[in-house]
Amino acid sequence: MSRWSALSHRQQGLLLTGGGAIIMAPDALLIKVTDLPDAEILMWRGFLSALGFLLIALLRYGRGTLGAYRRCGWTGIAVALLFSLTTCGFVLGNQYTKAGNVLMILASSPIIAAVLSWIILKERLPRRTWLAIWLCMVGIAMIALDDAGAGSWVGNAFALMAATTLAINFTLCRTRPGVDMSPMLVFNGIIVGSTAGLFWLAGSEPSLPAANQLAVVILLCLIIVPCGVTLLQRGPLYLPSAEVGLLLLLEVVVGTLLAWWILGEQPAPVALIGGSLVLGTLLVKGLYERRLEMRQRASVSTAPSITADRSSTV
């Protein structure tokens, strides 16, 4: 038995999701470092990530790759379209506002997913979830007040679009439990790359980026994004949404610290307070719900043993 198969289902989910979050942590930072125009960075990210996602699918499924795509069905196509919007929102958000602001707004996606589950899946939300939703809305509003400039508002709007479409993505994945949707991310890359490529070609004299920029683009789009996103997309197959959202905070915290440290993007106090409110709310909610889940599992696992003891006594 391999070490991986010896791990519990939950332990595998923790390693996959946590690993994906850590891998994706420098994403926002590297987008800033490349310093490429909007259409160009989106084009490279789209086509290179599509290649990376395809290679991962072939390595994982081999001759069964086509079957993996068929299992995704129309839901997989919707996931690919939604993740295309997430990609555009994330990249363009980083182009127009601070990387830390984008990551903090993106952290609200689990809360948005909870609202969508209430609307679409008719799931009843407890009071603690509604409280978390309102607190996160206040935090996001404070982040938006960080800079009243037009560029910042545009960037914050793109970041909110990324968070919303990512939440819809996770909600759709929950409608098909047990089906791995990560292979469909190949089409996300093709959609983004093709659309951005048309804008790039329509621009003034398109040219290749400098060697140092190209090296960063290849590292980010061909390696980091496909590996990290594939792991994150598999998270809901192993863990409840509360724990997936909790682990996503790793990307937010580490990515924000990297942006502050290397880029010197020190946020205004109001943005720092707003981001802390969002992250703190999600952290407390995730830990509390994890504790409730562990209690429920413990009560279920002890029930048969109690029955057995009573029967033996009789």
Side-chain angles (χ1 to χ4, degrees):
M1 180 182 293
S2 66
R3 291 183 178 180
W4 178 256
S5 58
L7 297 174
S8 67
H9 195 71
R10 181 173 177 276
Q11 288 173 329
Q12 291 176 356
L14 289 173
L15 288 175
L16 288 172
T17 311
I22 293 296
I23 290 172
M24 291 297 293
D27 189 5
L29 170 67
L30 294 179
I31 290 174
K32 295 282 190 180
V33 170
T34 55
D35 193 26
L36 292 175
D38 300 350
E40 189 171 356
I41 184 61
L42 280 171
M43 182 192 68
W44 286 110
R45 188 183 180 100
F47 286 136
L48 289 177
S49 65
L51 176 59
F53 286 129
L54 180 60
L55 292 175
I56 291 173
L58 291 173
L59 286 173
R60 290 181 56 216
Y61 292 104
R63 295 180 179 179
T65 302
L66 187 58
Y69 281 101
R70 287 175 176 171
R71 284 192 294 272
C72 295
W74 289 104
T75 303
I77 295 175
V79 166
L81 292 172
L82 284 167
F83 206 82
S84 300
L85 295 175
T86 302
T87 300
C88 293
F90 183 79
V91 172
L92 294 176
N94 278 284
Q95 296 284 78
Y96 290 98
T97 191
K98 297 175 182 178
N101 289 11
V102 175
L103 289 168
M104 289 177 187
I105 293 175
L106 192 66
S108 65
S109 59
I111 294 297
I112 300 174
V115 176
L116 292 173
S117 297
W118 172 61
I119 296 173
I120 299 174
L121 303 179
K122 306 301 181 183
E123 293 182 352
R124 190 173 182 179
L125 300 182
R127 292 181 180 178
R128 63 179 180 273
T129 301
W130 284 113
L131 176 61
I133 288 169
W134 286 110
L135 288 175
C136 286
M137 287 177 63
V138 172
I140 292 173
M142 295 174 72
I143 294 172
L145 292 174
D146 178 18
D147 184 2
S152 179
W153 283 104
V154 171
N156 290 331
F158 276 124
L160 188 58
M161 181 184 81
T164 303
T165 52
L166 183 62
I168 300 173
N169 179 352
F170 285 150
T171 304
L172 275 180
C173 289
R174 292 184 61 195
T175 65
R176 297 288 304 278
V179 178
D180 180 16
M181 295 290 175
S182 60
M184 297 301 295
L185 296 175
V186 173
F187 297 104
N188 147 69
I190 294 174
I191 293 169
V192 172
S194 301
T195 305
L198 293 176
F199 284 96
W200 180 66
L201 291 174
S204 57
E205 298 184 6
S207 60
L208 291 176
N212 59 333
Q213 291 175 310
L214 188 59
V216 175
V217 166
I218 292 174
L219 172 65
L220 173 63
C221 304
L222 186 60
I223 300 174
I224 291 178
V225 170
C227 293
V229 172
T230 297
L231 294 178
L232 289 175
Q233 189 72 39
R234 289 176 56 80
L237 296 177
Y238 292 85
L239 298 172
S241 57
E243 291 202 53
V244 173
L246 184 61
L247 289 169
L248 284 175
L249 295 182
L250 288 172
E251 177 187 353
V252 177
V253 173
V254 177
T256 303
L257 291 175
L258 285 173
W260 292 352
W261 175 40
I262 297 177
L263 300 178
E265 289 188 345
Q266 187 64 34
V270 65
L272 190 58
I273 295 172
S276 300
L277 182 60
V278 172
L279 298 181
T281 299
L282 293 175
L283 179 62
V284 171
K285 181 178 181 293
L287 289 174
Y288 180 73
E289 292 188 348
R290 180 170 175 263
R291 185 178 178 183
L292 289 179
E293 183 191 1
M294 297 299 288
R295 282 182 179 178
Q296 291 174 354
R297 288 182 179 179
S299 62
V300 171
S301 61
T302 55
S305 62
I306 295 173
T307 305
D309 290 341
R310 288 179 176 175
S311 61
S312 61
T313 302
V314 174

